[in-house]
Amino acid sequence: GSGFDPYAIQQKWQARWAEADPFRAGGADDTRPRKYVLGMFPYPSGDLHMGHAESYAYVDIVARFWRHRGYNVLNPIGWDSFGLPAENAAIQRGADPREWTYANIAQHKKSFREYGSSYDWSRILHTSDPEYYRWNQWLFQKLYERGLAYRKESPVNWCPNDQTVLANEQVVDGHCERCGAEVVKKKLTQWYFKITDYADRLLDDLNQLEGFWPSKVIRMQRNWIGRSVGADIDFEIEGREEKVTVFSTRPDTLHGATFFVVAPESDLAAELAAGAPAEVRMRFQDYLERVGKESEIDRQATDRPKTGVFLERYALNPLTGERLPIWAADYVLADYGHGAVMAVPAHDQRDLDFARAFDLPVRVVVDTTAPITGAIPVIDLDDEGNPIVDESLESIDPARTGIALTGEGRMINSGSLDGLSKRNAIARIIEELEAAGTGRAAKSYRLRDWLISRQRFWGTPIPMIHTQDGRIVPVPADQLPLTLPDAQGLDLAPKGTSPLGGATEWMQTVDPETGEPALRDPDTMDTFVDSSWYFLRFLSPGDAGEAFSTREADKWAPVDSYIGGVEHAILHLLYARFITKVLFDMGLIEFTEPFSSLINQGMVLLGGSKMSKSKGNLVEFAASMVDPGADASRVAITFAGPVEDDINWEDVSTTGAQKFLARAWRVAKDVMSSPDVVWAEGDPALRRVTHRLLADAPGLVEQTKFNVVVARLMELVNATRKAIDTGAGPADPAVREAAEATAMILDLFAPHTAEEMWEILGYDGFVGLVPWRQADPTLLVEESVTAVVQIDGKVRATLEVPARIGGDELEALARGDERVQRTLGGREITRAIVRPPKVVSFSTH
Ligand code: ANZ
């Protein structure tokens, strides 16, 4: 038959790909340069939808593109297959999380095959396989050896619904990232990875990624790490042996400190209260209880009334010896800086609010009305537009106005610092404190250590042994992997302790040193450990002797293009960056950043919200393979807008995509020349369209302007159709040339249709493997024409423009022209008639 049958074409080429396995990465003898393209591996929930279709379409565009450009491309796929949803599904159905997980993986694999994704299918990995997670255990023990894995008791984020702890990164606005329940604090002993040791490098190395990662992601990472620069200052406390250190970003304001505040839940607060009169102790206890019930969100809100308790104890200003009353107040957080602050109400808004609430003194030490050399003074204007110049210090007294003076100025009331600017004062006071031995330059971070223990079953068992005499020792290497026990007979329901604790037999082990009975660790690892290094496992996935091959890593890594959702902007990317640096320090890899470039795609929305099973607004990936078909899905999604924008599924035209593919296919059918035509011949106009696309597409793909390439392909197909029907005719060599270029470029977006076209055009091999055809530079020279710009009927300017200029582009050029601007003289254009390429006519009335 002569009809276009996308489903038949799809099945035909999938069978051929399955047989020939053409997208396997080249081995040791492959001399082409290498590219490692990776999509963030999927979580095997049952509901792959069009959001996944988008992400994996983009991955395939990039992988296919580099193959055409002559690279040896590695494009693997695997599954992030441990985690809560499997466990929750198992609990609901009384099933085994393992069965649920692997059944879903099988479905995913089928879908990706049907999508025509050009994976190297020989490198599949699942993080829930013991062959994989034994290397999580290896990694854990390596971190432990290096002092980067440790246990501590501290208040942790606890999700009362999932009955497990959460990393800071998994708490969004005080709620569980996964289930939305309000997170509470609970004191527990847990395992941590010491990511804070890497805070500076994680921050500084972001500079390398500038321009290669979305700037939004870089900004989010910077904020998350949250480095503040200042000083640590040691305060003597009356009646206490040891000094107490505070962190301040404004050590220059030390003379303005009028009181001292400690976090109520800190050990220091408890200790200070214990040494206070009974009545104070009671008030403190009441307050502590009240604070314990507050949510994180409430606590961090700036607009709520300040509360606190005076502990009737005093700190001494290290420079002046001034006595500062010590308060416990909840606006100071226990786990930031040192959990205590010197309060400078004149220059810090939180301190000022507190001072005004409790009638504490306010002392100005920075005159913000004084001019600072080199700084541009900010001058306010009054109603008439005259500068307000005679602002006096009294008129902005914070004690009266309630507004802290946080701006620049000159130091006053500060002894040796008087007259200095902020910067000089900070440098000077740090010198003085260092000389006196009561302070030093310091940095503070918002970043906390990574809590990796989870009280859940479906994860990597922590490879540590708790001995009878209280030691904690690694499971000996020859006993790894420490595999999960059978879920059968285990109570998986969340109850606040790990289900593994109930696997009595599994829990029993021996102390490797003494042979005495000992217990295993019942917790499992956060699944972000699994995904922190998986990109390295793809390089030697079957390797039973090591986590990854250093030799293969030297060849392939880091990942050249990493593609996935912006929801991973912080957690996953930060952890992967951290582990990469640790592996670098271990001498196992030669790079310090895992992902050289990052592409974040927007979301696919239906009815205005993100597709999800719970909202019942899923368009299923699997179903879309039949209607509209894999290629039409890919083209429609890609054409719907820029990569990073959200897409409304309602606006995505799958019928438009189907029609375009049918037109492209029909062009190939109509070609009447044979593959050995003379390339330099044929219709020059059509050749120019072809060659311009050959020349432009690589840059567009590298800039991830995939939708523009699709638009240009549509243009090429239309031009070819026109040449066939009303121009040079189907035997013209330019028509064949256009059809071949179409097939080769269409391969990025619609590989089944492209392969079919290639075969129709008389070729044997896969179009997916053909080298990019070079554009002929002589065909790229743009013809230009003279366009006239009229304003109210008179020609006011002429422009040299490309003959093929678009209307919008021409209008923009005309509006921006200097002569046009001058003639308009500020008048508004009320009407614009644009006839590209030659006429633009503006009216102003
Ligand atoms: C004195 C001072 C004077 C401060 C001044 C600021 C302005 P960032 O920028 O967020 O790092 N601080 C220190 N530890 C704290 C804690 N555990 N809880 C709440 N606040 C804490 O903020 C650093 C500043 O926040 C520090 O500098 C300290 O107040 C306060 F005019 O010290 B500052």
Side-chain angles (χ1 to χ4, degrees), residues 679 689-691 693-694 713 716-717 720 734-747 754 757-758 761 767 770 772-773:
W679 283 118
V689 181
T690 303
H691 282 257
L693 182 51
L694 287 169
L713 265 176
L716 176 59
V717 168
T720 318
V735 168
R736 162 168 284 275
E737 186 178 46
E740 290 191 7
T742 299
M744 195 264 294
I745 302 173
L746 189 63
D747 175 60
M757 286 176 69
W758 199 241
L761 287 165
V767 74
V770 306
W772 197 270
R773 181 167 292 152

PDB file of all heavy atoms in Angstrom, residues 679 689-691 693-694 713 716-717 720 734-747 754 757-758 761 767 770 772-773:
ATOM      1  N   TRP A 679      25.792  15.665  -6.595  1.00  0.00           N
ATOM      2  CA  TRP A 679      25.276  16.516  -5.536  1.00  0.00           C
ATOM      3  C   TRP A 679      25.271  17.996  -5.869  1.00  0.00           C
ATOM      4  O   TRP A 679      24.421  18.728  -5.417  1.00  0.00           O
ATOM      5  CB  TRP A 679      26.064  16.289  -4.240  1.00  0.00           C
ATOM      6  CG  TRP A 679      25.615  15.012  -3.623  1.00  0.00           C
ATOM      7  CD1 TRP A 679      26.370  13.906  -3.397  1.00  0.00           C
ATOM      8  CD2 TRP A 679      24.290  14.687  -3.236  1.00  0.00           C
ATOM      9  NE1 TRP A 679      25.617  12.902  -2.878  1.00  0.00           N
ATOM     10  CE2 TRP A 679      24.309  13.352  -2.766  1.00  0.00           C
ATOM     11  CE3 TRP A 679      23.077  15.362  -3.255  1.00  0.00           C
ATOM     12  CZ2 TRP A 679      23.180  12.700  -2.311  1.00  0.00           C
ATOM     13  CZ3 TRP A 679      21.950  14.717  -2.787  1.00  0.00           C
ATOM     14  CH2 TRP A 679      22.004  13.402  -2.324  1.00  0.00           C
ATOM     15  N   VAL A 689      17.900  26.035   1.118  1.00  0.00           N
ATOM     16  CA  VAL A 689      17.122  25.702   2.329  1.00  0.00           C
ATOM     17  C   VAL A 689      17.753  24.498   3.031  1.00  0.00           C
ATOM     18  O   VAL A 689      17.946  24.480   4.245  1.00  0.00           O
ATOM     19  CB  VAL A 689      15.639  25.400   1.981  1.00  0.00           C
ATOM     20  CG1 VAL A 689      14.846  25.086   3.252  1.00  0.00           C
ATOM     21  CG2 VAL A 689      15.012  26.581   1.247  1.00  0.00           C
ATOM     22  N   THR A 690      18.098  23.500   2.244  1.00  0.00           N
ATOM     23  CA  THR A 690      18.697  22.278   2.803  1.00  0.00           C
ATOM     24  C   THR A 690      20.007  22.593   3.524  1.00  0.00           C
ATOM     25  O   THR A 690      20.220  22.203   4.668  1.00  0.00           O
ATOM     26  CB  THR A 690      18.980  21.264   1.675  1.00  0.00           C
ATOM     27  OG1 THR A 690      17.758  21.004   0.994  1.00  0.00           O
ATOM     28  CG2 THR A 690      19.567  19.976   2.228  1.00  0.00           C
ATOM     29  N   HIS A 691      20.861  23.337   2.821  1.00  0.00           N
ATOM     30  CA  HIS A 691      22.194  23.544   3.373  1.00  0.00           C
ATOM     31  C   HIS A 691      22.202  24.509   4.547  1.00  0.00           C
ATOM     32  O   HIS A 691      23.031  24.390   5.444  1.00  0.00           O
ATOM     33  CB  HIS A 691      23.163  23.974   2.262  1.00  0.00           C
ATOM     34  CG  HIS A 691      23.583  22.802   1.429  1.00  0.00           C
ATOM     35  ND1 HIS A 691      24.802  22.198   1.558  1.00  0.00           N
ATOM     36  CD2 HIS A 691      22.889  22.079   0.507  1.00  0.00           C
ATOM     37  CE1 HIS A 691      24.864  21.159   0.725  1.00  0.00           C
ATOM     38  NE2 HIS A 691      23.707  21.079   0.071  1.00  0.00           N
ATOM     39  N   LEU A 693      19.915  24.563   6.766  1.00  0.00           N
ATOM     40  CA  LEU A 693      19.533  23.754   7.928  1.00  0.00           C
ATOM     41  C   LEU A 693      20.702  22.855   8.367  1.00  0.00           C
ATOM     42  O   LEU A 693      20.968  22.713   9.566  1.00  0.00           O
ATOM     43  CB  LEU A 693      18.287  22.915   7.610  1.00  0.00           C
ATOM     44  CG  LEU A 693      17.759  22.069   8.774  1.00  0.00           C
ATOM     45  CD1 LEU A 693      17.581  22.898  10.036  1.00  0.00           C
ATOM     46  CD2 LEU A 693      16.448  21.392   8.406  1.00  0.00           C
ATOM     47  N   LEU A 694      21.397  22.280   7.386  1.00  0.00           N
ATOM     48  CA  LEU A 694      22.570  21.466   7.749  1.00  0.00           C
ATOM     49  C   LEU A 694      23.583  22.295   8.530  1.00  0.00           C
ATOM     50  O   LEU A 694      24.238  21.805   9.445  1.00  0.00           O
ATOM     51  CB  LEU A 694      23.237  20.898   6.486  1.00  0.00           C
ATOM     52  CG  LEU A 694      22.491  19.767   5.784  1.00  0.00           C
ATOM     53  CD1 LEU A 694      23.118  19.480   4.417  1.00  0.00           C
ATOM     54  CD2 LEU A 694      22.491  18.498   6.646  1.00  0.00           C
ATOM     55  N   LEU A 713      12.807  21.940  10.080  1.00  0.00           N
ATOM     56  CA  LEU A 713      12.582  20.717   9.300  1.00  0.00           C
ATOM     57  C   LEU A 713      11.244  20.781   8.574  1.00  0.00           C
ATOM     58  O   LEU A 713      11.122  20.358   7.429  1.00  0.00           O
ATOM     59  CB  LEU A 713      12.567  19.504  10.235  1.00  0.00           C
ATOM     60  CG  LEU A 713      13.868  18.731  10.425  1.00  0.00           C
ATOM     61  CD1 LEU A 713      13.658  17.638  11.474  1.00  0.00           C
ATOM     62  CD2 LEU A 713      14.343  18.101   9.112  1.00  0.00           C
ATOM     63  N   LEU A 716      11.699  22.810   5.608  1.00  0.00           N
ATOM     64  CA  LEU A 716      12.413  22.094   4.548  1.00  0.00           C
ATOM     65  C   LEU A 716      11.482  21.120   3.826  1.00  0.00           C
ATOM     66  O   LEU A 716      11.500  21.026   2.595  1.00  0.00           O
ATOM     67  CB  LEU A 716      13.623  21.356   5.147  1.00  0.00           C
ATOM     68  CG  LEU A 716      14.426  20.469   4.177  1.00  0.00           C
ATOM     69  CD1 LEU A 716      14.972  21.279   3.004  1.00  0.00           C
ATOM     70  CD2 LEU A 716      15.575  19.758   4.905  1.00  0.00           C
ATOM     71  N   VAL A 717      10.667  20.415   4.604  1.00  0.00           N
ATOM     72  CA  VAL A 717       9.738  19.457   3.981  1.00  0.00           C
ATOM     73  C   VAL A 717       8.758  20.200   3.071  1.00  0.00           C
ATOM     74  O   VAL A 717       8.475  19.757   1.945  1.00  0.00           O
ATOM     75  CB  VAL A 717       9.007  18.634   5.068  1.00  0.00           C
ATOM     76  CG1 VAL A 717       7.844  17.855   4.476  1.00  0.00           C
ATOM     77  CG2 VAL A 717       9.990  17.693   5.759  1.00  0.00           C
ATOM     78  N   THR A 720      10.497  21.231  -0.106  1.00  0.00           N
ATOM     79  CA  THR A 720      10.737  20.071  -0.973  1.00  0.00           C
ATOM     80  C   THR A 720       9.451  19.673  -1.699  1.00  0.00           C
ATOM     81  O   THR A 720       9.458  19.382  -2.895  1.00  0.00           O
ATOM     82  CB  THR A 720      11.263  18.876  -0.144  1.00  0.00           C
ATOM     83  OG1 THR A 720      12.217  19.342   0.804  1.00  0.00           O
ATOM     84  CG2 THR A 720      11.925  17.850  -1.038  1.00  0.00           C
ATOM     85  N   ALA A 734      18.360  18.028  -6.271  1.00  0.00           N
ATOM     86  CA  ALA A 734      18.153  18.812  -5.050  1.00  0.00           C
ATOM     87  C   ALA A 734      17.030  18.230  -4.205  1.00  0.00           C
ATOM     88  O   ALA A 734      17.020  18.373  -2.974  1.00  0.00           O
ATOM     89  CB  ALA A 734      17.861  20.267  -5.394  1.00  0.00           C
ATOM     90  N   VAL A 735      16.072  17.600  -4.856  1.00  0.00           N
ATOM     91  CA  VAL A 735      14.954  16.983  -4.124  1.00  0.00           C
ATOM     92  C   VAL A 735      15.456  15.787  -3.323  1.00  0.00           C
ATOM     93  O   VAL A 735      15.141  15.620  -2.144  1.00  0.00           O
ATOM     94  CB  VAL A 735      13.824  16.575  -5.101  1.00  0.00           C
ATOM     95  CG1 VAL A 735      12.804  15.683  -4.407  1.00  0.00           C
ATOM     96  CG2 VAL A 735      13.160  17.820  -5.673  1.00  0.00           C
ATOM     97  N   ARG A 736      16.268  14.961  -3.949  1.00  0.00           N
ATOM     98  CA  ARG A 736      16.864  13.839  -3.212  1.00  0.00           C
ATOM     99  C   ARG A 736      17.734  14.355  -2.061  1.00  0.00           C
ATOM    100  O   ARG A 736      17.674  13.858  -0.943  1.00  0.00           O
ATOM    101  CB  ARG A 736      17.695  12.969  -4.159  1.00  0.00           C
ATOM    102  CG  ARG A 736      18.683  12.048  -3.440  1.00  0.00           C
ATOM    103  CD  ARG A 736      19.290  10.993  -4.326  1.00  0.00           C
ATOM    104  NE  ARG A 736      18.337   9.921  -4.583  1.00  0.00           N
ATOM    105  CZ  ARG A 736      18.157   8.882  -3.752  1.00  0.00           C
ATOM    106  NH1 ARG A 736      18.833   8.779  -2.632  1.00  0.00           N
ATOM    107  NH2 ARG A 736      17.281   7.936  -4.047  1.00  0.00           N
ATOM    108  N   GLU A 737      18.524  15.359  -2.377  1.00  0.00           N
ATOM    109  CA  GLU A 737      19.402  15.906  -1.338  1.00  0.00           C
ATOM    110  C   GLU A 737      18.585  16.379  -0.137  1.00  0.00           C
ATOM    111  O   GLU A 737      18.913  16.098   1.018  1.00  0.00           O
ATOM    112  CB  GLU A 737      20.195  17.077  -1.921  1.00  0.00           C
ATOM    113  CG  GLU A 737      21.231  17.622  -0.989  1.00  0.00           C
ATOM    114  CD  GLU A 737      22.024  18.756  -1.649  1.00  0.00           C
ATOM    115  OE1 GLU A 737      21.400  19.648  -2.271  1.00  0.00           O
ATOM    116  OE2 GLU A 737      23.252  18.733  -1.542  1.00  0.00           O
ATOM    117  N   ALA A 738      17.488  17.075  -0.408  1.00  0.00           N
ATOM    118  CA  ALA A 738      16.626  17.580   0.669  1.00  0.00           C
ATOM    119  C   ALA A 738      16.009  16.427   1.449  1.00  0.00           C
ATOM    120  O   ALA A 738      15.941  16.455   2.685  1.00  0.00           O
ATOM    121  CB  ALA A 738      15.537  18.473   0.081  1.00  0.00           C
ATOM    122  N   ALA A 739      15.572  15.400   0.732  1.00  0.00           N
ATOM    123  CA  ALA A 739      14.933  14.250   1.396  1.00  0.00           C
ATOM    124  C   ALA A 739      15.938  13.525   2.289  1.00  0.00           C
ATOM    125  O   ALA A 739      15.615  13.096   3.403  1.00  0.00           O
ATOM    126  CB  ALA A 739      14.346  13.299   0.361  1.00  0.00           C
ATOM    127  N   GLU A 740      17.166  13.390   1.813  1.00  0.00           N
ATOM    128  CA  GLU A 740      18.183  12.715   2.622  1.00  0.00           C
ATOM    129  C   GLU A 740      18.540  13.532   3.866  1.00  0.00           C
ATOM    130  O   GLU A 740      18.685  12.985   4.963  1.00  0.00           O
ATOM    131  CB  GLU A 740      19.448  12.458   1.783  1.00  0.00           C
ATOM    132  CG  GLU A 740      19.212  11.397   0.718  1.00  0.00           C
ATOM    133  CD  GLU A 740      20.500  10.914   0.047  1.00  0.00           C
ATOM    134  OE1 GLU A 740      21.594  11.302   0.507  1.00  0.00           O
ATOM    135  OE2 GLU A 740      20.396  10.150  -0.925  1.00  0.00           O
ATOM    136  N   ALA A 741      18.671  14.837   3.675  1.00  0.00           N
ATOM    137  CA  ALA A 741      18.963  15.696   4.832  1.00  0.00           C
ATOM    138  C   ALA A 741      17.811  15.622   5.828  1.00  0.00           C
ATOM    139  O   ALA A 741      18.021  15.557   7.048  1.00  0.00           O
ATOM    140  CB  ALA A 741      19.196  17.130   4.387  1.00  0.00           C
ATOM    141  N   THR A 742      16.588  15.602   5.307  1.00  0.00           N
ATOM    142  CA  THR A 742      15.412  15.502   6.189  1.00  0.00           C
ATOM    143  C   THR A 742      15.486  14.222   7.015  1.00  0.00           C
ATOM    144  O   THR A 742      15.312  14.242   8.239  1.00  0.00           O
ATOM    145  CB  THR A 742      14.114  15.531   5.359  1.00  0.00           C
ATOM    146  OG1 THR A 742      14.056  16.770   4.647  1.00  0.00           O
ATOM    147  CG2 THR A 742      12.893  15.407   6.256  1.00  0.00           C
ATOM    148  N   ALA A 743      15.773  13.110   6.360  1.00  0.00           N
ATOM    149  CA  ALA A 743      15.824  11.831   7.083  1.00  0.00           C
ATOM    150  C   ALA A 743      16.898  11.881   8.163  1.00  0.00           C
ATOM    151  O   ALA A 743      16.671  11.454   9.302  1.00  0.00           O
ATOM    152  CB  ALA A 743      16.090  10.689   6.105  1.00  0.00           C
ATOM    153  N   MET A 744      18.053  12.407   7.805  1.00  0.00           N
ATOM    154  CA  MET A 744      19.168  12.403   8.754  1.00  0.00           C
ATOM    155  C   MET A 744      18.860  13.276   9.979  1.00  0.00           C
ATOM    156  O   MET A 744      19.108  12.877  11.116  1.00  0.00           O
ATOM    157  CB  MET A 744      20.433  12.893   8.042  1.00  0.00           C
ATOM    158  CG  MET A 744      21.716  12.613   8.776  1.00  0.00           C
ATOM    159  SD  MET A 744      22.231  14.016   9.728  1.00  0.00           S
ATOM    160  CE  MET A 744      22.601  15.174   8.432  1.00  0.00           C
ATOM    161  N   ILE A 745      18.285  14.443   9.743  1.00  0.00           N
ATOM    162  CA  ILE A 745      18.004  15.330  10.880  1.00  0.00           C
ATOM    163  C   ILE A 745      16.745  14.882  11.633  1.00  0.00           C
ATOM    164  O   ILE A 745      16.685  14.956  12.856  1.00  0.00           O
ATOM    165  CB  ILE A 745      17.888  16.797  10.407  1.00  0.00           C
ATOM    166  CG1 ILE A 745      19.191  17.209   9.693  1.00  0.00           C
ATOM    167  CG2 ILE A 745      17.603  17.729  11.582  1.00  0.00           C
ATOM    168  CD1 ILE A 745      19.160  18.565   9.031  1.00  0.00           C
ATOM    169  N   LEU A 746      15.779  14.368  10.868  1.00  0.00           N
ATOM    170  CA  LEU A 746      14.557  13.879  11.514  1.00  0.00           C
ATOM    171  C   LEU A 746      14.859  12.728  12.481  1.00  0.00           C
ATOM    172  O   LEU A 746      14.120  12.486  13.427  1.00  0.00           O
ATOM    173  CB  LEU A 746      13.549  13.428  10.443  1.00  0.00           C
ATOM    174  CG  LEU A 746      12.143  13.077  10.924  1.00  0.00           C
ATOM    175  CD1 LEU A 746      11.464  14.296  11.542  1.00  0.00           C
ATOM    176  CD2 LEU A 746      11.290  12.518   9.779  1.00  0.00           C
ATOM    177  N   ASP A 747      15.964  12.042  12.238  1.00  0.00           N
ATOM    178  CA  ASP A 747      16.362  10.941  13.118  1.00  0.00           C
ATOM    179  C   ASP A 747      16.459  11.380  14.579  1.00  0.00           C
ATOM    180  O   ASP A 747      16.221  10.595  15.485  1.00  0.00           O
ATOM    181  CB  ASP A 747      17.703  10.369  12.654  1.00  0.00           C
ATOM    182  CG  ASP A 747      18.216   9.302  13.609  1.00  0.00           C
ATOM    183  OD1 ASP A 747      17.511   8.294  13.797  1.00  0.00           O
ATOM    184  OD2 ASP A 747      19.307   9.493  14.189  1.00  0.00           O
ATOM    185  N   ALA A 754      12.359   8.289  10.215  1.00  0.00           N
ATOM    186  CA  ALA A 754      13.610   8.621   9.539  1.00  0.00           C
ATOM    187  C   ALA A 754      14.252   7.374   8.936  1.00  0.00           C
ATOM    188  O   ALA A 754      14.710   7.391   7.789  1.00  0.00           O
ATOM    189  CB  ALA A 754      14.565   9.288  10.522  1.00  0.00           C
ATOM    190  N   MET A 757      12.336   6.339   5.848  1.00  0.00           N
ATOM    191  CA  MET A 757      12.654   7.218   4.713  1.00  0.00           C
ATOM    192  C   MET A 757      13.996   6.815   4.103  1.00  0.00           C
ATOM    193  O   MET A 757      14.161   6.771   2.884  1.00  0.00           O
ATOM    194  CB  MET A 757      12.729   8.685   5.178  1.00  0.00           C
ATOM    195  CG  MET A 757      11.382   9.313   5.485  1.00  0.00           C
ATOM    196  SD  MET A 757      11.567  11.014   6.134  1.00  0.00           S
ATOM    197  CE  MET A 757      12.147  11.886   4.665  1.00  0.00           C
ATOM    198  N   TRP A 758      14.936   6.552   4.980  1.00  0.00           N
ATOM    199  CA  TRP A 758      16.291   6.217   4.526  1.00  0.00           C
ATOM    200  C   TRP A 758      16.268   4.956   3.668  1.00  0.00           C
ATOM    201  O   TRP A 758      16.923   4.870   2.637  1.00  0.00           O
ATOM    202  CB  TRP A 758      17.176   6.024   5.759  1.00  0.00           C
ATOM    203  CG  TRP A 758      18.646   6.124   5.519  1.00  0.00           C
ATOM    204  CD1 TRP A 758      19.571   5.138   5.734  1.00  0.00           C
ATOM    205  CD2 TRP A 758      19.375   7.262   5.047  1.00  0.00           C
ATOM    206  NE1 TRP A 758      20.832   5.597   5.442  1.00  0.00           N
ATOM    207  CE2 TRP A 758      20.741   6.906   5.005  1.00  0.00           C
ATOM    208  CE3 TRP A 758      19.011   8.556   4.655  1.00  0.00           C
ATOM    209  CZ2 TRP A 758      21.745   7.776   4.592  1.00  0.00           C
ATOM    210  CZ3 TRP A 758      20.003   9.429   4.247  1.00  0.00           C
ATOM    211  CH2 TRP A 758      21.359   9.037   4.211  1.00  0.00           C
ATOM    212  N   LEU A 761      14.776   5.644   0.366  1.00  0.00           N
ATOM    213  CA  LEU A 761      15.718   6.380  -0.473  1.00  0.00           C
ATOM    214  C   LEU A 761      16.829   5.482  -1.027  1.00  0.00           C
ATOM    215  O   LEU A 761      17.707   5.947  -1.747  1.00  0.00           O
ATOM    216  CB  LEU A 761      16.320   7.549   0.310  1.00  0.00           C
ATOM    217  CG  LEU A 761      15.343   8.715   0.546  1.00  0.00           C
ATOM    218  CD1 LEU A 761      15.871   9.664   1.620  1.00  0.00           C
ATOM    219  CD2 LEU A 761      15.071   9.477  -0.748  1.00  0.00           C
ATOM    220  N   VAL A 767      20.001   4.994   9.370  1.00  0.00           N
ATOM    221  CA  VAL A 767      20.227   6.434   9.254  1.00  0.00           C
ATOM    222  C   VAL A 767      20.764   6.984  10.580  1.00  0.00           C
ATOM    223  O   VAL A 767      21.487   7.976  10.612  1.00  0.00           O
ATOM    224  CB  VAL A 767      18.950   7.184   8.811  1.00  0.00           C
ATOM    225  CG1 VAL A 767      17.925   7.270   9.942  1.00  0.00           C
ATOM    226  CG2 VAL A 767      19.300   8.581   8.305  1.00  0.00           C
ATOM    227  N   VAL A 770      24.502   7.486  10.311  1.00  0.00           N
ATOM    228  CA  VAL A 770      25.211   8.168   9.218  1.00  0.00           C
ATOM    229  C   VAL A 770      25.826   9.477   9.712  1.00  0.00           C
ATOM    230  O   VAL A 770      25.258  10.164  10.553  1.00  0.00           O
ATOM    231  CB  VAL A 770      24.316   8.442   7.979  1.00  0.00           C
ATOM    232  CG1 VAL A 770      23.661   7.160   7.494  1.00  0.00           C
ATOM    233  CG2 VAL A 770      23.308   9.534   8.240  1.00  0.00           C
ATOM    234  N   TRP A 772      26.962  13.322   9.792  1.00  0.00           N
ATOM    235  CA  TRP A 772      26.290  14.568   9.418  1.00  0.00           C
ATOM    236  C   TRP A 772      26.856  15.047   8.085  1.00  0.00           C
ATOM    237  O   TRP A 772      28.070  15.056   7.901  1.00  0.00           O
ATOM    238  CB  TRP A 772      26.582  15.619  10.480  1.00  0.00           C
ATOM    239  CG  TRP A 772      25.659  16.791  10.456  1.00  0.00           C
ATOM    240  CD1 TRP A 772      25.833  17.939   9.747  1.00  0.00           C
ATOM    241  CD2 TRP A 772      24.441  16.933  11.166  1.00  0.00           C
ATOM    242  NE1 TRP A 772      24.793  18.790   9.961  1.00  0.00           N
ATOM    243  CE2 TRP A 772      23.911  18.203  10.842  1.00  0.00           C
ATOM    244  CE3 TRP A 772      23.720  16.112  12.043  1.00  0.00           C
ATOM    245  CZ2 TRP A 772      22.714  18.673  11.362  1.00  0.00           C
ATOM    246  CZ3 TRP A 772      22.530  16.580  12.564  1.00  0.00           C
ATOM    247  CH2 TRP A 772      22.029  17.841  12.233  1.00  0.00           C
ATOM    248  N   ARG A 773      25.979  15.419   7.161  1.00  0.00           N
ATOM    249  CA  ARG A 773      26.501  15.920   5.887  1.00  0.00           C
ATOM    250  C   ARG A 773      26.898  17.391   6.033  1.00  0.00           C
ATOM    251  O   ARG A 773      26.127  18.194   6.549  1.00  0.00           O
ATOM    252  CB  ARG A 773      25.456  15.761   4.794  1.00  0.00           C
ATOM    253  CG  ARG A 773      25.982  16.256   3.450  1.00  0.00           C
ATOM    254  CD  ARG A 773      25.114  15.834   2.294  1.00  0.00           C
ATOM    255  NE  ARG A 773      25.162  14.397   2.073  1.00  0.00           N
ATOM    256  CZ  ARG A 773      24.157  13.716   1.528  1.00  0.00           C
ATOM    257  NH1 ARG A 773      23.046  14.325   1.203  1.00  0.00           N
ATOM    258  NH2 ARG A 773      24.271  12.424   1.339  1.00  0.00           N
TER     259      ARG A 773
END
